[in-house]
Amino acid sequence: MATLVKHLILCSSTTTSSSASPSPSNRRPPSSPDGADKRAHLTQSSTRRLAVAASTAMVATAALSARRPAAPPPAMAAEAAALRAPAPPGTVPRWGTRSYVRERFFEPGLTTEEAAARIRQTAEGMRTLRPMLETMSWKYVLFYVRLKSKYLDLDLTTAMAGVPEPRRPEYVLVANELVDNMTEFDRFVRTPKVYESYLYYEKTLKSLDDVAEFLG
C-alpha cells in the first residue's frame, strides 16, 4: 500500500512539472544584441532612403522650374495680343512676329498705305525695346530687330510709290540711312557692346521718324 501511494505521488509530481514547463515549440529564443542591431540598421536605412527620395524630388522640381520659358518681351507680347484681337473694319491690321512666313510668302503684297502703316508700327515697336536694352536682354532685342529688318526691306520699296516724285531722292537717302543704322544696331547687339548698341538704337529711332515724316 505504501508503495502504491509513493508511486501515485511520484506520477502526479512528474505530470505537474511537465505541464508547468513550456514545450520546445512554444519556447521563444531570447533576443540577442545582434538582432537589435539589425533592426536599428534597417530603420536607419529606410530613413536614409526617404531623405534621399525627398532631396531628389526637390532637385527635380527646381530643375523643372528653371527650365520654364521666360516671359516674352513687351513688344512681342503686345503684337501677339493684337493678333488675337480682330481689327475692326476700316482700320490697318497689326502685323505680328508669328505671321511673318504667312505674310511674306503666302499672301499678296501690301499696298502703299499698308506698307507705310507697317513702317510706322515698326517705329512704335522699336521704342518698346528700351526696357530690354536696359536689362541687356540681347536675345529678344536681336530677334525683334532682325524680324523688323526683313519687313523693312520690302516696305521701304513699296511705300516709295506714295512719296512725291521730287522728294524721292531724299527719301532714298533717308531709307538707306535707316537700313545702315539697323544693320549696325544688329551687329553691336550681337557682339554685344552696350554703348554702341544704345548709340545705334537712338540713330535707328531717328531714321524711322525721318522715314515716317516722308510718308505723312
Side-chain angles (χ1 to χ4, degrees):
M1 185 68 179
T3 305
L4 179 61
V5 172
K6 185 177 180 181
H7 178 72
L8 290 175
I9 291 172
L10 289 174
C11 290
S12 63
S13 63
T14 303
T15 307
T16 305
S17 63
S18 63
S19 62
S21 62
S23 61
S25 61
N26 296 330
R27 191 178 302 165
R28 295 182 179 177
S31 60
S32 61
D34 295 338
D37 293 342
K38 288 181 180 179
R39 285 195 297 271
H41 179 70
L42 290 175
T43 304
Q44 292 178 359
S45 299
S46 61
T47 305
R48 192 179 298 111
R49 290 194 193 97
L50 290 175
V52 171
S55 61
T56 305
M58 292 177 62
V59 170
T61 304
L64 288 175
S65 61
R67 291 182 63 182
R68 289 176 182 172
M76 298 180 188
E79 291 192 356
L83 277 177
R84 288 191 294 268
T91 60
V92 177
R94 296 187 66 85
W95 298 271
T97 56
R98 298 182 181 178
S99 58
Y100 171 74
V101 175
R102 174 172 54 82
E103 294 168 1
R104 181 69 176 83
F105 300 102
F106 297 100
E107 287 190 356
L110 302 180
T111 63
T112 303
E113 292 78 10
E114 289 174 343
R118 190 156 66 178
I119 291 174
R120 285 190 289 269
Q121 181 192 344
T122 300
E124 296 174 4
M126 290 292 292
R127 283 183 169 82
T128 62
L129 292 181
R130 193 178 299 276
M132 285 186 280
L133 283 174
E134 293 174 354
T135 57
M136 298 183 183
S137 302
W138 306 116
K139 179 176 67 174
Y140 296 115
V141 173
L142 189 62
F143 174 77
Y144 194 79
V145 169
R146 289 186 176 180
L147 183 69
K148 292 305 180 181
S149 298
K150 293 180 182 300
Y151 278 127
L152 279 176
D153 291 341
L154 183 63
D155 292 342
L156 289 172
T157 304
T158 305
M160 188 172 61
V163 179
E165 188 69 30
R167 301 193 64 187
R168 286 188 182 179
E170 298 178 12
Y171 173 81
V172 171
L173 292 177
V174 173
N176 288 333
E177 183 180 1
L178 171 60
V179 173
D180 293 339
N181 288 333
M182 287 199 74
T183 302
E184 292 298 314
F185 181 46
D186 180 284
R187 182 167 69 90
F188 288 120
V189 168
R190 186 177 65 251
T191 307
K193 292 184 178 179
V194 178
Y195 174 76
E196 289 82 357
S197 298
Y198 271 100
L199 178 63
Y200 279 93
Y201 173 68
E202 297 296 337
K203 288 184 176 182
T204 301
L205 291 181
K206 184 179 182 304
S207 298
L208 282 168
D209 291 339
D210 293 341
V211 171
E213 182 181 356
F214 273 94
L215 300 176

